Amino acid sequence: MSHRFSIGPWNISEGRDSYGPETRPAKDLAWKLERFKEAGFDAVMFHDDDVVPDIDTKSEQEVLREAEQVRTMVQNAGMAIEMVAPRLWFSPMTVDGGYTSNDPEARRYAVDRSLQAADIAEVLGCDLLVWWLARDGTYVRESKSHQRSLELLAQAADAILAHSPQIRIAIEPKPNEPVDVAYLPTIGHALAFAHLTSDPARVGGLVETAHCVLAGLDPADEMAFALTAGKLWSVHLNDQNGLKFDQDKPFGSVNLRSAFDQVRVLERHGYGRNGEFVAFDVHSFRTTTIEQGFDHAVNSRTTFLRLLEKVRSFDEDAAAALVMQRDYQALDQMVIEHLLG
Ligand code: XUL
Ligand code: MN
């Protein structure tokens, strides 16, 4: 089976970080779509305001009309649209969180904006709404009630599920950043949370490599957990060098063996058979020029395909025999030799 690849416009970025300004010029969606297509990507991921910039200043009709235009543009570029994610972390209304803010008016804003994101998804012809709950956590744990926060999250999910019968919500867990501690830090939390909603079958997960590393967990295991439950609806493959700020490095660039294990687990579970995309959430280094400003994504895709060959040529019978003999030392070296091979 061949895989289909997905990428977001935010993955071609301008190089700003907390300590300094942009190092590359901004490029528009048309420019990005051209790069995506020529590099072999099949689908685009969007935040609601990637589709409709300055979304909060526009009327509902304007928003949906602009979404129509983007749909046509992406279609004309020969690509599909994988998902839409409401960006609930930029507005002054989301300073204290999205759905779990202590301010009822801010919570209403978060839900309304999410319903609109679901409408945008419908216009774009996709059924996946991604929940990266950036600020739904705390800097000071005593500032919110955990139980109440979970209830608020479930109410928000229920509102979306009732509003858009075609929508599935894929929760993208992350343990911290920007908040100190998040309410849904791992895929286990996300899938348990699904059962607090009115339609657990329509609430699943998206596993990002870097987020698992930040949680001190094995990315392949996190993916396997969701796959076993039939709930891995997307992935954000990238890499992360230990416990520090979220790095979104090219896939396999830190831990090639872990990357191999991720590809192997996706293959073993037939990931992609139900239309799932292999998505990358990767960022250029700040030092990169705009001429090389998409190489990190192209390289991630190349690494995935190289590792796919490694997974498919791995001698699973020999590995199984070593498992039977409990010779895990030889198994360990077998994997290393295969990767070095
Ligand atoms: C943040 C992150 C986001 C989501 C989409 O760490 O990964 O880009 O993937 O909102
Ligand atoms: Mn991500």
Side-chain angles (χ1 to χ4, degrees), residues 10-11 45 47 83 85-87 89 130-132 172 174 177 206 208 211 236 238 246 248 281 283:
W10 73 87
N11 295 118
M45 312 185 273
H47 294 101
M83 61 88 151
R87 195 191 298 275
W89 55 91
V130 167
W131 259 20
W132 172 51
E172 180 180 350
K174 183 177 179 182
E177 199 201 37
L206 179 167
E208 171 164 325
H211 298 176
H236 279 179
N238 57 20
D246 187 5
D248 296 332
D281 192 359
H283 280 98

Side-chain angles (χ1 to χ4, degrees), residues 15-166:
R16 187 181 58 231
D17 67 15
S18 325
Y19 299 94
E22 290 75 4
T23 57
R24 293 179 288 271
K27 292 292 183 184
D28 64 15
L29 184 60
W31 189 91
K32 293 179 181 183
L33 286 175
E34 232 173 82
R35 302 286 155 321
F36 296 168
K37 186 66 186 169
E38 80 192 14
F41 285 86
D42 306 283
V44 190
M45 312 185 273
F46 282 120
H47 294 101
D48 52 359
D49 58 359
D50 295 325
V51 181
V52 183
D54 304 317
I55 197 166
D56 284 336
T57 66
K58 294 176 180 165
S59 71
E60 207 181 306
Q61 287 99 314
E62 279 175 307
V63 166
L64 297 182
R65 203 176 40 242
E66 285 189 35
E68 286 275 7
Q69 288 162 0
V70 171
R71 180 186 181 150
T72 307
M73 202 172 157
V74 176
Q75 266 175 351
N76 289 346
M79 301 185 80
I81 294 166
E82 183 197 6
M83 61 88 151
V84 175
R87 195 191 298 275
L88 299 177
W89 55 91
F90 227 84
S91 155
M93 293 302 289
T94 56
V95 170
D96 187 33
Y99 311 119
T100 65
S101 169
N102 280 325
D103 175 357
E105 213 178 300
R107 294 201 297 271
R108 227 174 350 258
Y109 166 86
V111 171
D112 287 348
R113 182 143 169 188
S114 305
L115 300 184
Q116 186 182 56
D119 293 342
I120 292 173
E122 194 174 347
V123 170
L124 296 181
C126 79
D127 70 350
L128 204 59
L129 194 81
V130 167
W131 259 20
W132 172 51
L133 301 176
R135 300 193 188 278
D136 285 311
T138 56
Y139 303 100
V140 176
R141 221 32 170 176
E142 295 80 5
S143 66
K144 290 180 186 172
S145 147
H146 197 131
Q147 181 187 339
R148 173 88 180 119
S149 295
L150 290 179
E151 286 165 5
L152 289 168
L153 289 169
Q155 284 169 19
D158 289 351
I160 296 167
L161 296 169
H163 177 81
S164 303
Q166 84 287 357

